[in-house]
Amino acid sequence: MFIQRCINCATEFDLDERIYVCSHCGDLLDIERVEPLAEGPDELRAIWSDRLKSSDAHDRSGVWRFREFLPFASDVQVVSLGEGNTPLYDAPRSAEYCGLTSLKLKHQGNNPTGSFKDTGMTVAVTQALSLRMHLVACASTGNTAASLAAYAARARMACAILVPEGQVSDAKLAQALDYGAKVLEIEGNFDVCMRVIKELAEQSSLYLVNSINSFRIEGQKTVAFELAEQLGWQSPDHLVVPGGNLGNSSAFGKGLREMLEHGLTRKQTRISVIQAEGAAPFARFYDSGQFVVEKQPHTLATAIKIGAPVSWKKASRAVNETGGCVITVSEQEIADAKATIGRDGIGCEPASATTVAGIRKLVIDGFIKKDERVVAVLTGHLLKDTDYVIKYHSQTLTTPDHKLIRGTFGNAITRVAARPCAIESALKNL
Ligand code: F0G
């Protein structure tokens, strides 16, 4: 059996209470198991491994495969698109760039809608279905929107999305539109969208599935289980994630903690969070000890252009419990790290590249040692924001305050005449 419990005052709520924050103190909620799990670690590992051979959709999902750790009855109707099961890549060029012997990239962009959001959305929309909700909604910088739109369509639910006008990539909007969501553009940034949708969720019967919704976090925490399994249940020394609304770092913190508690892993992994310099309220909190909302967040990594992250308390619990750190990286560092990941044949969207940029800095600072085992989480697919990529490679990418970003690893398109000798000459230096 599971309950919802306030992270501050520990008040308990039933799972079917449609609340997002504690009705007593207003703080965030955790979902917690209140009865011991029947299976031990070896048995669990064997069950999960067996499910890989099953053809049942429930077993094939990289999220629901770990359902012993999810708060649902066994007969629940699951809304799934076969999420999870994402690759863990060795990235030698990125490792070299960071000054590491080796580096692994857990690519959450390989989910059905191209971002890590799907692993949480399958659980949140399943909960919406259990609660018999008719309308699901979110505020989004684009990926949550695309993901929710897809899962709502699978569940045949109406779906409303609030996005900041002119600040979401075309690819992400295209997904939400095609999946049939009602897309509402709001004058203002993501934080404004988030504030409005939270107010609306208190008054109306829509179901909010931003990461303030703890069912989302439950789904996303299973990525930590999948990662541990891929590493033969050996914990890496460092796990590095980008920080926006801070749901992902919170979810990894919860997943790692539960695995340690249940004897599935033995060693603590440090969780570090990387933010873009212009949208870094969480990093400033770690510098100053005071959490202050950033009123005008700015970064070309639009997915993490967030000044008032809702899950910062849970994320700080994850960083503090595990001995990680929080730092910022510049727009130039993000762009160059992104191109480096691309040269490993992997690619990602700008927000994801904060991780490799951050690891490079943390190696220089000595926080990460050259031979330690490091995993960076890539959160979104390269094709989520092609405009950025083309501009970087053609030396036309500029920061929000109009400073040119150097295409240090630029790869410009070459125009050639339709003659073999012209093509041969263009290929001479390859
Ligand atoms: N990376 C990508 C690609 C994202 O889309 C987001 C968040 C993050 C990182 C940050 O993750 O919020 O859990 O700290 N995107 C949200 C959205 C805000 O609406 O799609 P976080």
Side-chain angles (χ1 to χ4, degrees), residues 312-328:
W312 70 271
K313 284 191 186 165
K314 281 187 183 175
S316 87
R317 187 176 62 178
V319 171
N320 297 344
E321 262 178 21
T322 64
C325 69
V326 186
I327 62 161
T328 64

Side-chain angles (χ1 to χ4, degrees), residues 48-260:
W48 297 335
S49 172
D50 269 356
R51 285 182 188 151
L52 282 173
K53 297 170 215 142
S54 158
S55 54
D56 182 320
H58 207 184
D59 292 341
R60 304 270 337 152
S61 160
V63 170
W64 296 99
R65 191 157 68 83
F66 300 102
R67 57 187 172 268
E68 282 70 15
F69 281 78
L70 293 177
F72 285 95
S74 55
D75 58 352
V76 72
Q77 189 192 337
V78 164
V79 185
S80 172
L81 281 162
E83 53 289 319
N85 298 315
T86 59
L88 179 67
Y89 293 118
D90 262 318
R93 284 194 199 220
S94 302
E96 198 182 315
Y97 180 72
C98 293
L100 289 172
T101 309
S102 78
L103 172 64
K104 290 195 189 310
L105 304 178
K106 176 73 175 153
H107 207 330
Q108 293 301 97
N110 281 35
N111 269 293
T113 76
S115 86
F116 72 101
K117 307 288 181 179
D118 296 344
T119 55
M121 210 52 82
T122 181
V123 176
V125 174
T126 295
Q127 172 68 357
L129 202 62
S130 311
L131 295 174
R132 300 182 197 285
M133 303 305 299
H134 297 294
L135 174 61
V136 279
C138 70
S140 180
T141 56
N143 279 327
T144 306
S147 180
L148 174 60
Y151 282 85
R154 298 298 297 170
R156 290 177 161 262
M157 270 180 210
C159 168
I161 281 155
L162 267 61
V163 292
E165 190 180 1
Q167 297 176 43
V168 175
S169 82
D170 279 351
K172 297 173 188 177
L173 281 178
Q175 288 182 287
L177 293 173
D178 222 33
Y179 299 138
K182 181 78 188 164
V183 177
L184 305 172
E185 281 192 328
I186 303 287
E187 206 182 308
N189 61 21
F190 169 82
D191 300 311
V192 174
C193 298
M194 193 68 230
R195 179 170 48 74
V196 177
I197 197 90
K198 267 187 351 199
E199 276 170 28
L200 194 64
E202 276 164 27
Q203 300 155 15
S204 72
S205 60
L206 61 78
Y207 190 58
L208 182 61
V209 298
N210 278 99
S211 55
I212 194 169
N213 180 320
S214 29
F215 288 86
R216 267 273 307 278
I217 303 290
E218 289 304 289
Q220 286 177 207
K221 86 179 175 194
T222 62
V223 183
F225 289 67
E226 186 178 279
L227 172 64
E229 186 184 54
Q230 286 169 317
L231 292 170
W233 300 102
Q234 300 289 317
S235 312
D237 298 303
H238 295 272
L239 183 72
V240 182
V241 291
N245 219 10
L246 298 171
N248 204 26
S249 28
S250 306
F252 271 110
K254 192 163 192 282
L256 293 183
R257 184 175 348 115
E258 290 181 3
M259 284 193 294
L260 275 174

Side-chain angles (χ1 to χ4, degrees), residues 261-274:
E261 279 167 9
H262 286 86
L264 286 158
T265 51
R266 303 228 164 271
K267 217 187 109 226
Q268 186 71 264
T269 297
R270 291 174 194 260
I271 298 182
S272 293
V273 180
I274 318 294

